[in-house]
Amino acid sequence: MIAFFQTRYLWKFIIFLGVLFSLMIQSGYTKTITLLNVSYDPTRAFYHEYNKAFQKYWKEKTGDTVVIYESHGPSGKQARSVIDGMQADVVTLALSGDINAINKYQPLIDPNWQNKLPNHSTPYISTIVFLVRKGNPKQIHDWDDLIKPGVQVITPNPKTSGVARWNFLAAWAYALEKYGSDEKAYQFVKQIYQHAPILDTGARSSSLSFIQRGLGDVLISWENEAYMALNESSKEEFELITPSTSILAAPPVAVVDQIVDKKGTRAVATAYLTYLYSDEGQTLAAQNYYRPSNPEIALKFKDKFKDLKLITIDKVFKGWKQVNNRFFKDNAIFDQMMREINH
């Protein structure tokens, strides 16, 4: 009898050791990894969904758990935060110029970063549209309507906001094509800013000024931000207006090389950005009103996005370096324009 009990307890002990050993093996081969994605304002909803999809994908692929933190704000300010020490594993900003600006002050990112991922590290694109109040009482249909008497325009400040630079350049490109000279484009864009009662620091604060504070007749906005405002408006308070011409906005992404090497997160950070190009990543982008770069996914969502003529930075402005030097650095065209308005 004693031998029977000894045998039974022995087997329980062996099973216990097996379970314990299994748990030890699992804990040894799986781990929890944290990532920080530093992004701009209008990507909140998209990355909230995308992070869940990537966490599931990475768990199934490796067994590891990824905890993803997000930081959102005006693109220029976000770049400044990384320069000042924010430990971003990846940056998903509004402008390639903002990523280059990080490197200008802190050499954190491979200078060849735009060739590390497809489409110059741009997994999705967007454009600039108008959001007006229900019924479009000021009859705003194209860029010329923004400078009609009595129209108030809400747009952020290009000195701090990525979307504000896209807004500025879209208006300039429209006027350049329609009126035929830089001088006339200057006067046209200047008139738009004369119709702006405030210049918020970023896209989200401008949206709040227009939607919640009731300021202005038209918001110049990211396309996805305008659609999200429409969907969140239970009283159908707004209408989206697509102008005849706008700009192909290409928000880029990059691994912050020095940070991921220090933290040991390069593999998962690279996979996080690469998965943006997967069918699931592209579909989530389209569902959140970013235009997919994958033509097959874009075709599935062709009815979601209106056709319009999209001009490119490279063709009209010869690239972001030229843009920033000509328009947005201190005492360049934007500063000159604002001095004349405020004189």
Side-chain angles (χ1 to χ4, degrees):
M1 181 64 72
I2 294 173
F4 171 78
F5 279 111
Q6 286 177 335
T7 301
R8 190 176 66 174
Y9 289 134
L10 177 63
W11 275 110
K12 285 185 176 180
F13 183 65
I14 291 172
I15 292 170
F16 170 75
L17 287 178
V19 172
L20 182 62
F21 182 72
S22 176
L23 291 173
M24 290 174 68
I25 291 291
Q26 287 182 35
S27 64
Y29 283 90
T30 64
K31 52 187 176 293
T32 298
I33 308 163
T34 61
L35 288 183
L36 173 59
N37 175 7
V38 173
S39 195
Y40 60 105
D41 271 331
T43 60
R44 292 171 197 267
F46 167 57
Y47 277 111
H48 185 66
E49 287 191 42
Y50 175 76
N51 289 348
K52 293 176 183 175
F54 179 76
Q55 286 166 325
K56 182 173 181 291
Y57 160 76
W58 196 249
K59 185 74 174 180
E60 291 174 352
K61 181 181 174 69
T62 68
D64 292 343
T65 299
V66 187
V67 178
I68 304 165
Y69 296 100
E70 300 172 43
S71 173
H72 296 271
S75 187
K77 282 194 170 183
Q78 293 295 84
R80 185 73 248 177
S81 296
V82 176
I83 294 167
D84 291 341
M86 184 181 281
Q87 298 295 289
D89 297 274
V90 299
V91 286
T92 57
L93 297 178
L95 308 172
S96 60
D98 285 334
I99 296 179
N100 289 330
I102 294 172
N103 264 4
K104 180 178 178 182
Y105 296 97
Q106 292 285 355
L108 299 174
I109 300 170
D110 184 336
N112 195 36
W113 65 269
Q114 279 194 289
N115 294 324
K116 294 293 183 71
L117 291 167
N119 302 322
H120 300 290
S121 294
T122 302
Y124 41 78
I125 61 171
S126 190
T127 190
I128 301 302
V129 299
F130 306 148
L131 196 66
V132 300
R133 305 203 181 278
K134 185 66 178 177
N136 196 3
K138 296 294 178 74
Q139 292 299 296
I140 294 166
H141 303 288
D142 214 337
W143 292 97
D144 285 315
D145 297 320
L146 302 187
I147 59 173
K148 290 192 302 189
V151 171
Q152 286 196 327
V153 177
I154 303 299
T155 181
N157 190 331
K159 302 293 278 190
T160 55
S161 165
V163 70
R165 295 192 179 193
W166 290 114
N167 295 352
F168 182 104
L169 297 169
W172 188 286
Y174 169 84
L176 184 63
E177 181 175 273
K178 182 165 184 176
Y179 300 112
S181 73
D182 283 324
E183 291 74 18
K184 290 179 180 177
Y186 180 97
Q187 293 303 323
F188 179 81
V189 176
K190 178 182 169 183
Q191 286 185 72
I192 290 179
Y193 284 94
Q194 286 174 319
H195 284 247
I198 57 170
L199 294 177
D200 290 301
T201 57
R204 181 50 52 93
S205 51
S206 271
S207 295
L208 293 175
S209 291
F210 183 76
I211 294 168
Q212 294 189 4
R213 298 172 63 196
L215 297 177
D217 302 296
V218 54
L219 171 69
I220 309 178
S221 170
W222 286 105
E223 185 176 47
N224 75 299
E225 187 88 340
Y227 273 114
M228 298 296 280
L230 285 181
N231 291 342
E232 293 170 2
S233 170
S234 58
K235 298 179 182 178
E236 298 182 345
E237 299 170 290
F238 310 107
E239 293 181 18
L240 189 151
I241 304 296
T242 303
S244 61
T245 299
S246 192
I247 200 160
L248 193 155
V253 301
V255 170
V256 184
D257 295 281
Q258 287 205 10
I259 301 299
V260 298
D261 285 343
K262 183 175 69 176
K263 292 174 60 178
T265 54
R266 175 176 287 280
V268 66
T270 302
Y272 178 76
L273 296 186
T274 303
Y275 198 66
L276 288 166
Y277 296 85
S278 70
D279 287 355
E280 184 174 27
Q282 291 285 287
T283 299
L284 287 172
Q287 289 171 344
N288 283 273
Y289 302 100
Y290 284 100
R291 299 185 180 218
S293 59
N294 182 321
E296 294 180 0
I297 304 296
L299 187 61
K300 292 181 180 178
F301 290 90
K302 64 182 178 62
D303 295 334
K304 200 179 184 81
F305 303 102
K306 291 186 177 179
D307 287 332
L308 74 165
K309 182 179 180 180
L310 294 176
I311 62 96
T312 67
I313 291 292
D314 288 343
K315 184 175 181 180
V316 177
F317 299 103
K318 313 303 181 191
W320 274 105
K321 184 176 182 180
Q322 297 284 346
V323 163
N324 289 326
N325 287 334
R326 183 183 178 197
F327 293 102
F328 301 121
K329 74 176 185 180
D330 289 346
N331 298 314
I333 283 178
F334 179 73
D335 283 348
Q336 177 186 340
M337 198 176 279
M338 295 309 294
R339 280 197 298 270
E340 291 176 6
I341 292 172
N342 296 320
H343 180 68

